[in-house]
Amino acid sequence: MRRVLLTGLAGLVALAIGLWELSGRGPLNPALAPASAAAEEIAATTAGVYVSLRIINAALSTAQEIEVGASVGAQASLQPFKVLEPVDDTVERVADVVFAVAAGAALATVGFAPVAALGLCLLGLGCLLRAFDDALPSVDGMRTAAAYAMRVGLTLGVILPAGFAGGVHLGDRITQPQWQAAMAELDAVTAEARILVGAGIEAPEATAPADGVPEGLFARLGAQLQAAGDGVGEAVEAVGRYRDAAVLMMGQADDLFRSSLTIIGIFALRILVLPALLLWGALALMRRSAGAG
């Protein structure tokens, strides 16, 4: 009788918490808060990495569009920074992967609450069925259905959010040195990308004629030639800045590739591998306990 009462009470509590959370009145599941916090942290971190990668991508794309003209018998134009295209493609692919991770983390942030609430409701129903079967063992298959509902409900309501939070926290602890090194390399390349983005060619400002100087044909022609000369000088200076920064970024292409792969690997370890291992271990332990019981 004590076992029946305890099982029925646990079922009522789990069912009440699940229905309370489904109504949107606030989280009561103790395993839900750490999981939501971990998912929000992953989403915020991936958003920062995605912005940095997009800055690098924009800088490389802009540098590739610069044309340098030459006239030796025939006029032609070259795009000397097209050599950056493989690096740009790699950065774009990595940014897409990071965006997918950010979207998955945001989905986990939103989806943990209803999934855990449904799991608690299922756990509560399973406990109530088990208590009813222990009190009146007359319905065939009720014990099997109750055990299945309890396992699925416990997995969705408790083990899944707890395993995700534990995996993210454990991954953060064991990958902290690699993460800091990869982010330092990415920040260094992002700084060079900001130089590329800020090295635009500004249009020369129009100068007003001085007092007493007639605005004749030669005066206007001289002003236009001076403005053209200033524009050419600024263009040459901007192209030089692009060249210097682009050459430096080409030298850091290996660092960028290595740091990008490290970041993706750390994200995969934190949100997929370690939570899956913890979930698998918990389920194996639960099946063994059920088999022993």
PDB file of all heavy atoms in Angstrom, residues 242-279:
ATOM      1  N   TYR A 242      44.165  47.943 -48.980  1.00  0.00           N
ATOM      2  CA  TYR A 242      43.561  46.646 -49.261  1.00  0.00           C
ATOM      3  C   TYR A 242      44.632  45.595 -49.525  1.00  0.00           C
ATOM      4  O   TYR A 242      44.534  44.462 -49.050  1.00  0.00           O
ATOM      5  CB  TYR A 242      42.645  46.744 -50.490  1.00  0.00           C
ATOM      6  CG  TYR A 242      41.223  47.107 -50.172  1.00  0.00           C
ATOM      7  CD1 TYR A 242      40.728  48.372 -50.460  1.00  0.00           C
ATOM      8  CD2 TYR A 242      40.364  46.186 -49.606  1.00  0.00           C
ATOM      9  CE1 TYR A 242      39.422  48.706 -50.170  1.00  0.00           C
ATOM     10  CE2 TYR A 242      39.052  46.503 -49.327  1.00  0.00           C
ATOM     11  CZ  TYR A 242      38.590  47.770 -49.613  1.00  0.00           C
ATOM     12  OH  TYR A 242      37.301  48.095 -49.323  1.00  0.00           O
ATOM     13  N   ARG A 243      45.652  45.985 -50.281  1.00  0.00           N
ATOM     14  CA  ARG A 243      46.702  45.029 -50.611  1.00  0.00           C
ATOM     15  C   ARG A 243      47.427  44.555 -49.356  1.00  0.00           C
ATOM     16  O   ARG A 243      47.632  43.357 -49.160  1.00  0.00           O
ATOM     17  CB  ARG A 243      47.693  45.681 -51.569  1.00  0.00           C
ATOM     18  CG  ARG A 243      48.850  44.765 -51.983  1.00  0.00           C
ATOM     19  CD  ARG A 243      49.983  45.596 -52.548  1.00  0.00           C
ATOM     20  NE  ARG A 243      50.464  46.535 -51.535  1.00  0.00           N
ATOM     21  CZ  ARG A 243      51.096  47.672 -51.828  1.00  0.00           C
ATOM     22  NH1 ARG A 243      51.288  48.026 -53.078  1.00  0.00           N
ATOM     23  NH2 ARG A 243      51.507  48.465 -50.854  1.00  0.00           N
ATOM     24  N   ASP A 244      47.795  45.484 -48.504  1.00  0.00           N
ATOM     25  CA  ASP A 244      48.518  45.115 -47.288  1.00  0.00           C
ATOM     26  C   ASP A 244      47.678  44.203 -46.389  1.00  0.00           C
ATOM     27  O   ASP A 244      48.154  43.177 -45.885  1.00  0.00           O
ATOM     28  CB  ASP A 244      48.938  46.367 -46.512  1.00  0.00           C
ATOM     29  CG  ASP A 244      49.920  47.220 -47.295  1.00  0.00           C
ATOM     30  OD1 ASP A 244      50.580  46.664 -48.212  1.00  0.00           O
ATOM     31  OD2 ASP A 244      50.028  48.429 -47.014  1.00  0.00           O
ATOM     32  N   ALA A 245      46.413  44.594 -46.180  1.00  0.00           N
ATOM     33  CA  ALA A 245      45.549  43.785 -45.319  1.00  0.00           C
ATOM     34  C   ALA A 245      45.238  42.432 -45.954  1.00  0.00           C
ATOM     35  O   ALA A 245      45.186  41.411 -45.266  1.00  0.00           O
ATOM     36  CB  ALA A 245      44.258  44.544 -45.015  1.00  0.00           C
ATOM     37  N   ALA A 246      45.049  42.416 -47.281  1.00  0.00           N
ATOM     38  CA  ALA A 246      44.737  41.160 -47.958  1.00  0.00           C
ATOM     39  C   ALA A 246      45.922  40.200 -47.917  1.00  0.00           C
ATOM     40  O   ALA A 246      45.750  38.992 -47.714  1.00  0.00           O
ATOM     41  CB  ALA A 246      44.322  41.429 -49.407  1.00  0.00           C
ATOM     42  N   VAL A 247      47.117  40.738 -48.110  1.00  0.00           N
ATOM     43  CA  VAL A 247      48.304  39.879 -48.026  1.00  0.00           C
ATOM     44  C   VAL A 247      48.448  39.305 -46.617  1.00  0.00           C
ATOM     45  O   VAL A 247      48.761  38.124 -46.430  1.00  0.00           O
ATOM     46  CB  VAL A 247      49.563  40.676 -48.428  1.00  0.00           C
ATOM     47  CG1 VAL A 247      50.817  39.891 -48.085  1.00  0.00           C
ATOM     48  CG2 VAL A 247      49.534  40.977 -49.915  1.00  0.00           C
ATOM     49  N   LEU A 248      48.188  40.135 -45.622  1.00  0.00           N
ATOM     50  CA  LEU A 248      48.261  39.648 -44.248  1.00  0.00           C
ATOM     51  C   LEU A 248      47.208  38.582 -43.980  1.00  0.00           C
ATOM     52  O   LEU A 248      47.473  37.586 -43.301  1.00  0.00           O
ATOM     53  CB  LEU A 248      48.098  40.819 -43.279  1.00  0.00           C
ATOM     54  CG  LEU A 248      48.259  40.498 -41.791  1.00  0.00           C
ATOM     55  CD1 LEU A 248      49.639  39.897 -41.531  1.00  0.00           C
ATOM     56  CD2 LEU A 248      48.066  41.753 -40.951  1.00  0.00           C
ATOM     57  N   MET A 249      46.005  38.776 -44.505  1.00  0.00           N
ATOM     58  CA  MET A 249      44.952  37.776 -44.314  1.00  0.00           C
ATOM     59  C   MET A 249      45.266  36.488 -45.068  1.00  0.00           C
ATOM     60  O   MET A 249      44.928  35.400 -44.604  1.00  0.00           O
ATOM     61  CB  MET A 249      43.605  38.337 -44.756  1.00  0.00           C
ATOM     62  CG  MET A 249      43.072  39.426 -43.841  1.00  0.00           C
ATOM     63  SD  MET A 249      41.384  39.898 -44.239  1.00  0.00           S
ATOM     64  CE  MET A 249      40.520  38.412 -43.800  1.00  0.00           C
ATOM     65  N   MET A 250      45.916  36.583 -46.226  1.00  0.00           N
ATOM     66  CA  MET A 250      46.328  35.374 -46.926  1.00  0.00           C
ATOM     67  C   MET A 250      47.338  34.599 -46.082  1.00  0.00           C
ATOM     68  O   MET A 250      47.311  33.367 -46.038  1.00  0.00           O
ATOM     69  CB  MET A 250      46.932  35.729 -48.285  1.00  0.00           C
ATOM     70  CG  MET A 250      45.906  35.987 -49.369  1.00  0.00           C
ATOM     71  SD  MET A 250      44.914  34.529 -49.743  1.00  0.00           S
ATOM     72  CE  MET A 250      46.178  33.404 -50.318  1.00  0.00           C
ATOM     73  N   GLY A 251      48.222  35.323 -45.393  1.00  0.00           N
ATOM     74  CA  GLY A 251      49.163  34.655 -44.513  1.00  0.00           C
ATOM     75  C   GLY A 251      48.490  34.014 -43.309  1.00  0.00           C
ATOM     76  O   GLY A 251      49.020  33.058 -42.729  1.00  0.00           O
ATOM     77  N   GLN A 252      47.315  34.540 -42.937  1.00  0.00           N
ATOM     78  CA  GLN A 252      46.578  33.994 -41.797  1.00  0.00           C
ATOM     79  C   GLN A 252      45.461  33.038 -42.222  1.00  0.00           C
ATOM     80  O   GLN A 252      44.610  32.690 -41.408  1.00  0.00           O
ATOM     81  CB  GLN A 252      45.973  35.134 -40.969  1.00  0.00           C
ATOM     82  CG  GLN A 252      47.011  36.009 -40.287  1.00  0.00           C
ATOM     83  CD  GLN A 252      46.371  37.153 -39.532  1.00  0.00           C
ATOM     84  OE1 GLN A 252      45.258  37.574 -39.826  1.00  0.00           O
ATOM     85  NE2 GLN A 252      47.084  37.656 -38.541  1.00  0.00           N
ATOM     86  N   ALA A 253      45.466  32.635 -43.493  1.00  0.00           N
ATOM     87  CA  ALA A 253      44.400  31.748 -43.976  1.00  0.00           C
ATOM     88  C   ALA A 253      44.414  30.413 -43.240  1.00  0.00           C
ATOM     89  O   ALA A 253      43.360  29.866 -42.892  1.00  0.00           O
ATOM     90  CB  ALA A 253      44.547  31.532 -45.483  1.00  0.00           C
ATOM     91  N   ASP A 254      45.610  29.879 -42.998  1.00  0.00           N
ATOM     92  CA  ASP A 254      45.698  28.608 -42.272  1.00  0.00           C
ATOM     93  C   ASP A 254      45.162  28.748 -40.849  1.00  0.00           C
ATOM     94  O   ASP A 254      44.448  27.869 -40.351  1.00  0.00           O
ATOM     95  CB  ASP A 254      47.142  28.118 -42.242  1.00  0.00           C
ATOM     96  CG  ASP A 254      47.647  27.725 -43.625  1.00  0.00           C
ATOM     97  OD1 ASP A 254      46.796  27.443 -44.497  1.00  0.00           O
ATOM     98  OD2 ASP A 254      48.871  27.716 -43.833  1.00  0.00           O
ATOM     99  N   ASP A 255      45.513  29.860 -40.192  1.00  0.00           N
ATOM    100  CA  ASP A 255      44.998  30.091 -38.837  1.00  0.00           C
ATOM    101  C   ASP A 255      43.483  30.222 -38.836  1.00  0.00           C
ATOM    102  O   ASP A 255      42.806  29.706 -37.938  1.00  0.00           O
ATOM    103  CB  ASP A 255      45.630  31.349 -38.238  1.00  0.00           C
ATOM    104  CG  ASP A 255      47.133  31.205 -38.049  1.00  0.00           C
ATOM    105  OD1 ASP A 255      47.599  30.059 -37.949  1.00  0.00           O
ATOM    106  OD2 ASP A 255      47.824  32.237 -38.005  1.00  0.00           O
ATOM    107  N   LEU A 256      42.954  30.926 -39.850  1.00  0.00           N
ATOM    108  CA  LEU A 256      41.503  31.086 -39.942  1.00  0.00           C
ATOM    109  C   LEU A 256      40.813  29.752 -40.165  1.00  0.00           C
ATOM    110  O   LEU A 256      39.794  29.445 -39.519  1.00  0.00           O
ATOM    111  CB  LEU A 256      41.174  32.056 -41.084  1.00  0.00           C
ATOM    112  CG  LEU A 256      39.692  32.271 -41.389  1.00  0.00           C
ATOM    113  CD1 LEU A 256      38.979  32.865 -40.188  1.00  0.00           C
ATOM    114  CD2 LEU A 256      39.528  33.179 -42.604  1.00  0.00           C
ATOM    115  N   PHE A 257      41.369  28.932 -41.048  1.00  0.00           N
ATOM    116  CA  PHE A 257      40.774  27.626 -41.317  1.00  0.00           C
ATOM    117  C   PHE A 257      40.830  26.733 -40.080  1.00  0.00           C
ATOM    118  O   PHE A 257      39.849  26.069 -39.724  1.00  0.00           O
ATOM    119  CB  PHE A 257      41.513  26.968 -42.486  1.00  0.00           C
ATOM    120  CG  PHE A 257      40.917  25.670 -42.944  1.00  0.00           C
ATOM    121  CD1 PHE A 257      39.686  25.642 -43.587  1.00  0.00           C
ATOM    122  CD2 PHE A 257      41.583  24.476 -42.735  1.00  0.00           C
ATOM    123  CE1 PHE A 257      39.135  24.449 -44.005  1.00  0.00           C
ATOM    124  CE2 PHE A 257      41.040  23.287 -43.147  1.00  0.00           C
ATOM    125  CZ  PHE A 257      39.817  23.263 -43.792  1.00  0.00           C
ATOM    126  N   ARG A 258      41.981  26.729 -39.411  1.00  0.00           N
ATOM    127  CA  ARG A 258      42.131  25.889 -38.225  1.00  0.00           C
ATOM    128  C   ARG A 258      41.214  26.342 -37.089  1.00  0.00           C
ATOM    129  O   ARG A 258      40.548  25.522 -36.442  1.00  0.00           O
ATOM    130  CB  ARG A 258      43.589  25.917 -37.767  1.00  0.00           C
ATOM    131  CG  ARG A 258      43.857  25.034 -36.550  1.00  0.00           C
ATOM    132  CD  ARG A 258      45.328  25.008 -36.188  1.00  0.00           C
ATOM    133  NE  ARG A 258      45.852  26.327 -35.906  1.00  0.00           N
ATOM    134  CZ  ARG A 258      46.668  27.004 -36.712  1.00  0.00           C
ATOM    135  NH1 ARG A 258      47.045  26.465 -37.853  1.00  0.00           N
ATOM    136  NH2 ARG A 258      47.108  28.192 -36.380  1.00  0.00           N
ATOM    137  N   SER A 259      41.163  27.644 -36.861  1.00  0.00           N
ATOM    138  CA  SER A 259      40.300  28.143 -35.788  1.00  0.00           C
ATOM    139  C   SER A 259      38.830  27.906 -36.103  1.00  0.00           C
ATOM    140  O   SER A 259      38.041  27.584 -35.202  1.00  0.00           O
ATOM    141  CB  SER A 259      40.553  29.636 -35.570  1.00  0.00           C
ATOM    142  OG  SER A 259      40.230  30.392 -36.733  1.00  0.00           O
ATOM    143  N   SER A 260      38.435  28.028 -37.368  1.00  0.00           N
ATOM    144  CA  SER A 260      37.033  27.783 -37.736  1.00  0.00           C
ATOM    145  C   SER A 260      36.644  26.328 -37.497  1.00  0.00           C
ATOM    146  O   SER A 260      35.578  26.033 -36.932  1.00  0.00           O
ATOM    147  CB  SER A 260      36.806  28.156 -39.204  1.00  0.00           C
ATOM    148  OG  SER A 260      37.114  29.517 -39.439  1.00  0.00           O
ATOM    149  N   LEU A 261      37.511  25.407 -37.913  1.00  0.00           N
ATOM    150  CA  LEU A 261      37.211  23.991 -37.676  1.00  0.00           C
ATOM    151  C   LEU A 261      37.205  23.669 -36.186  1.00  0.00           C
ATOM    152  O   LEU A 261      36.394  22.855 -35.723  1.00  0.00           O
ATOM    153  CB  LEU A 261      38.242  23.123 -38.399  1.00  0.00           C
ATOM    154  CG  LEU A 261      38.174  23.114 -39.928  1.00  0.00           C
ATOM    155  CD1 LEU A 261      39.208  22.153 -40.494  1.00  0.00           C
ATOM    156  CD2 LEU A 261      36.794  22.744 -40.422  1.00  0.00           C
ATOM    157  N   THR A 262      38.101  24.304 -35.436  1.00  0.00           N
ATOM    158  CA  THR A 262      38.114  24.075 -33.983  1.00  0.00           C
ATOM    159  C   THR A 262      36.819  24.549 -33.346  1.00  0.00           C
ATOM    160  O   THR A 262      36.243  23.866 -32.481  1.00  0.00           O
ATOM    161  CB  THR A 262      39.315  24.803 -33.350  1.00  0.00           C
ATOM    162  OG1 THR A 262      40.525  24.315 -33.936  1.00  0.00           O
ATOM    163  CG2 THR A 262      39.356  24.570 -31.846  1.00  0.00           C
ATOM    164  N   ILE A 263      36.334  25.715 -33.762  1.00  0.00           N
ATOM    165  CA  ILE A 263      35.090  26.249 -33.210  1.00  0.00           C
ATOM    166  C   ILE A 263      33.913  25.332 -33.535  1.00  0.00           C
ATOM    167  O   ILE A 263      33.066  25.039 -32.676  1.00  0.00           O
ATOM    168  CB  ILE A 263      34.863  27.674 -33.736  1.00  0.00           C
ATOM    169  CG1 ILE A 263      35.873  28.630 -33.101  1.00  0.00           C
ATOM    170  CG2 ILE A 263      33.439  28.152 -33.439  1.00  0.00           C
ATOM    171  CD1 ILE A 263      35.857  30.019 -33.698  1.00  0.00           C
ATOM    172  N   ILE A 264      33.852  24.854 -34.784  1.00  0.00           N
ATOM    173  CA  ILE A 264      32.761  23.948 -35.159  1.00  0.00           C
ATOM    174  C   ILE A 264      32.846  22.646 -34.364  1.00  0.00           C
ATOM    175  O   ILE A 264      31.828  22.115 -33.879  1.00  0.00           O
ATOM    176  CB  ILE A 264      32.813  23.674 -36.671  1.00  0.00           C
ATOM    177  CG1 ILE A 264      32.464  24.946 -37.445  1.00  0.00           C
ATOM    178  CG2 ILE A 264      31.847  22.557 -37.047  1.00  0.00           C
ATOM    179  CD1 ILE A 264      32.567  24.784 -38.941  1.00  0.00           C
ATOM    180  N   GLY A 265      34.066  22.113 -34.199  1.00  0.00           N
ATOM    181  CA  GLY A 265      34.232  20.891 -33.420  1.00  0.00           C
ATOM    182  C   GLY A 265      33.819  21.071 -31.964  1.00  0.00           C
ATOM    183  O   GLY A 265      33.191  20.182 -31.372  1.00  0.00           O
ATOM    184  N   ILE A 266      34.150  22.229 -31.387  1.00  0.00           N
ATOM    185  CA  ILE A 266      33.769  22.479 -29.994  1.00  0.00           C
ATOM    186  C   ILE A 266      32.257  22.592 -29.865  1.00  0.00           C
ATOM    187  O   ILE A 266      31.654  22.059 -28.915  1.00  0.00           O
ATOM    188  CB  ILE A 266      34.475  23.752 -29.487  1.00  0.00           C
ATOM    189  CG1 ILE A 266      35.977  23.485 -29.318  1.00  0.00           C
ATOM    190  CG2 ILE A 266      33.881  24.209 -28.151  1.00  0.00           C
ATOM    191  CD1 ILE A 266      36.775  24.708 -28.958  1.00  0.00           C
ATOM    192  N   PHE A 267      31.626  23.280 -30.807  1.00  0.00           N
ATOM    193  CA  PHE A 267      30.166  23.366 -30.774  1.00  0.00           C
ATOM    194  C   PHE A 267      29.530  21.981 -30.883  1.00  0.00           C
ATOM    195  O   PHE A 267      28.564  21.671 -30.162  1.00  0.00           O
ATOM    196  CB  PHE A 267      29.668  24.261 -31.907  1.00  0.00           C
ATOM    197  CG  PHE A 267      29.771  25.725 -31.612  1.00  0.00           C
ATOM    198  CD1 PHE A 267      30.136  26.619 -32.600  1.00  0.00           C
ATOM    199  CD2 PHE A 267      29.521  26.219 -30.350  1.00  0.00           C
ATOM    200  CE1 PHE A 267      30.231  27.973 -32.330  1.00  0.00           C
ATOM    201  CE2 PHE A 267      29.616  27.564 -30.070  1.00  0.00           C
ATOM    202  CZ  PHE A 267      29.968  28.449 -31.066  1.00  0.00           C
ATOM    203  N   ALA A 268      30.050  21.158 -31.803  1.00  0.00           N
ATOM    204  CA  ALA A 268      29.499  19.807 -31.951  1.00  0.00           C
ATOM    205  C   ALA A 268      29.695  18.990 -30.679  1.00  0.00           C
ATOM    206  O   ALA A 268      28.812  18.232 -30.264  1.00  0.00           O
ATOM    207  CB  ALA A 268      30.161  19.112 -33.140  1.00  0.00           C
ATOM    208  N   LEU A 269      30.861  19.136 -30.054  1.00  0.00           N
ATOM    209  CA  LEU A 269      31.114  18.391 -28.823  1.00  0.00           C
ATOM    210  C   LEU A 269      30.189  18.845 -27.697  1.00  0.00           C
ATOM    211  O   LEU A 269      29.679  18.023 -26.930  1.00  0.00           O
ATOM    212  CB  LEU A 269      32.574  18.582 -28.407  1.00  0.00           C
ATOM    213  CG  LEU A 269      33.052  17.791 -27.188  1.00  0.00           C
ATOM    214  CD1 LEU A 269      33.058  16.307 -27.496  1.00  0.00           C
ATOM    215  CD2 LEU A 269      34.446  18.254 -26.763  1.00  0.00           C
ATOM    216  N   ARG A 270      29.963  20.162 -27.610  1.00  0.00           N
ATOM    217  CA  ARG A 270      29.163  20.679 -26.499  1.00  0.00           C
ATOM    218  C   ARG A 270      27.684  20.358 -26.632  1.00  0.00           C
ATOM    219  O   ARG A 270      27.035  19.997 -25.645  1.00  0.00           O
ATOM    220  CB  ARG A 270      29.347  22.205 -26.406  1.00  0.00           C
ATOM    221  CG  ARG A 270      30.711  22.641 -25.902  1.00  0.00           C
ATOM    222  CD  ARG A 270      30.768  24.155 -25.793  1.00  0.00           C
ATOM    223  NE  ARG A 270      32.080  24.616 -25.344  1.00  0.00           N
ATOM    224  CZ  ARG A 270      32.384  25.907 -25.184  1.00  0.00           C
ATOM    225  NH1 ARG A 270      31.478  26.837 -25.428  1.00  0.00           N
ATOM    226  NH2 ARG A 270      33.593  26.243 -24.773  1.00  0.00           N
ATOM    227  N   ILE A 271      27.135  20.501 -27.820  1.00  0.00           N
ATOM    228  CA  ILE A 271      25.683  20.402 -27.939  1.00  0.00           C
ATOM    229  C   ILE A 271      25.208  19.082 -28.531  1.00  0.00           C
ATOM    230  O   ILE A 271      24.001  18.807 -28.521  1.00  0.00           O
ATOM    231  CB  ILE A 271      25.117  21.565 -28.780  1.00  0.00           C
ATOM    232  CG1 ILE A 271      25.560  21.443 -30.241  1.00  0.00           C
ATOM    233  CG2 ILE A 271      25.536  22.891 -28.208  1.00  0.00           C
ATOM    234  CD1 ILE A 271      24.969  22.490 -31.150  1.00  0.00           C
ATOM    235  N   LEU A 272      26.132  18.247 -29.041  1.00  0.00           N
ATOM    236  CA  LEU A 272      25.709  16.974 -29.631  1.00  0.00           C
ATOM    237  C   LEU A 272      26.371  15.777 -28.960  1.00  0.00           C
ATOM    238  O   LEU A 272      25.689  14.901 -28.433  1.00  0.00           O
ATOM    239  CB  LEU A 272      26.014  16.960 -31.143  1.00  0.00           C
ATOM    240  CG  LEU A 272      25.188  17.896 -32.024  1.00  0.00           C
ATOM    241  CD1 LEU A 272      25.660  17.815 -33.460  1.00  0.00           C
ATOM    242  CD2 LEU A 272      23.712  17.570 -31.925  1.00  0.00           C
ATOM    243  N   VAL A 273      27.697  15.732 -28.979  1.00  0.00           N
ATOM    244  CA  VAL A 273      28.410  14.520 -28.571  1.00  0.00           C
ATOM    245  C   VAL A 273      28.253  14.261 -27.074  1.00  0.00           C
ATOM    246  O   VAL A 273      27.775  13.196 -26.659  1.00  0.00           O
ATOM    247  CB  VAL A 273      29.899  14.624 -28.952  1.00  0.00           C
ATOM    248  CG1 VAL A 273      30.646  13.380 -28.477  1.00  0.00           C
ATOM    249  CG2 VAL A 273      30.043  14.777 -30.462  1.00  0.00           C
ATOM    250  N   LEU A 274      28.647  15.220 -26.251  1.00  0.00           N
ATOM    251  CA  LEU A 274      28.577  15.001 -24.805  1.00  0.00           C
ATOM    252  C   LEU A 274      27.146  14.835 -24.298  1.00  0.00           C
ATOM    253  O   LEU A 274      26.876  13.929 -23.495  1.00  0.00           O
ATOM    254  CB  LEU A 274      29.289  16.141 -24.078  1.00  0.00           C
ATOM    255  CG  LEU A 274      30.815  16.159 -24.229  1.00  0.00           C
ATOM    256  CD1 LEU A 274      31.407  17.371 -23.526  1.00  0.00           C
ATOM    257  CD2 LEU A 274      31.427  14.879 -23.681  1.00  0.00           C
ATOM    258  N   PRO A 275      26.178  15.674 -24.714  1.00  0.00           N
ATOM    259  CA  PRO A 275      24.787  15.399 -24.284  1.00  0.00           C
ATOM    260  C   PRO A 275      24.275  14.039 -24.738  1.00  0.00           C
ATOM    261  O   PRO A 275      23.559  13.356 -23.979  1.00  0.00           O
ATOM    262  CB  PRO A 275      23.985  16.538 -24.918  1.00  0.00           C
ATOM    263  CG  PRO A 275      24.960  17.650 -25.059  1.00  0.00           C
ATOM    264  CD  PRO A 275      26.253  16.984 -25.396  1.00  0.00           C
ATOM    265  N   ALA A 276      24.638  13.618 -25.961  1.00  0.00           N
ATOM    266  CA  ALA A 276      24.194  12.302 -26.430  1.00  0.00           C
ATOM    267  C   ALA A 276      24.812  11.184 -25.595  1.00  0.00           C
ATOM    268  O   ALA A 276      24.139  10.194 -25.269  1.00  0.00           O
ATOM    269  CB  ALA A 276      24.555  12.126 -27.904  1.00  0.00           C
ATOM    270  N   LEU A 277      26.093  11.330 -25.231  1.00  0.00           N
ATOM    271  CA  LEU A 277      26.727  10.311 -24.393  1.00  0.00           C
ATOM    272  C   LEU A 277      26.077  10.239 -23.011  1.00  0.00           C
ATOM    273  O   LEU A 277      25.829   9.148 -22.486  1.00  0.00           O
ATOM    274  CB  LEU A 277      28.219  10.609 -24.271  1.00  0.00           C
ATOM    275  CG  LEU A 277      29.071  10.359 -25.518  1.00  0.00           C
ATOM    276  CD1 LEU A 277      30.512  10.780 -25.273  1.00  0.00           C
ATOM    277  CD2 LEU A 277      29.009   8.904 -25.938  1.00  0.00           C
ATOM    278  N   LEU A 278      25.813  11.414 -22.425  1.00  0.00           N
ATOM    279  CA  LEU A 278      25.165  11.415 -21.114  1.00  0.00           C
ATOM    280  C   LEU A 278      23.753  10.836 -21.197  1.00  0.00           C
ATOM    281  O   LEU A 278      23.319  10.082 -20.307  1.00  0.00           O
ATOM    282  CB  LEU A 278      25.122  12.835 -20.561  1.00  0.00           C
ATOM    283  CG  LEU A 278      26.477  13.461 -20.192  1.00  0.00           C
ATOM    284  CD1 LEU A 278      26.295  14.896 -19.705  1.00  0.00           C
ATOM    285  CD2 LEU A 278      27.176  12.628 -19.130  1.00  0.00           C
ATOM    286  N   LEU A 279      23.025  11.166 -22.253  1.00  0.00           N
ATOM    287  CA  LEU A 279      21.679  10.621 -22.424  1.00  0.00           C
ATOM    288  C   LEU A 279      21.723   9.107 -22.615  1.00  0.00           C
ATOM    289  O   LEU A 279      20.919   8.369 -22.024  1.00  0.00           O
ATOM    290  CB  LEU A 279      21.007  11.289 -23.625  1.00  0.00           C
ATOM    291  CG  LEU A 279      19.595  10.818 -23.976  1.00  0.00           C
ATOM    292  CD1 LEU A 279      18.647  11.100 -22.820  1.00  0.00           C
ATOM    293  CD2 LEU A 279      19.107  11.502 -25.249  1.00  0.00           C
TER     294      LEU A 279
END
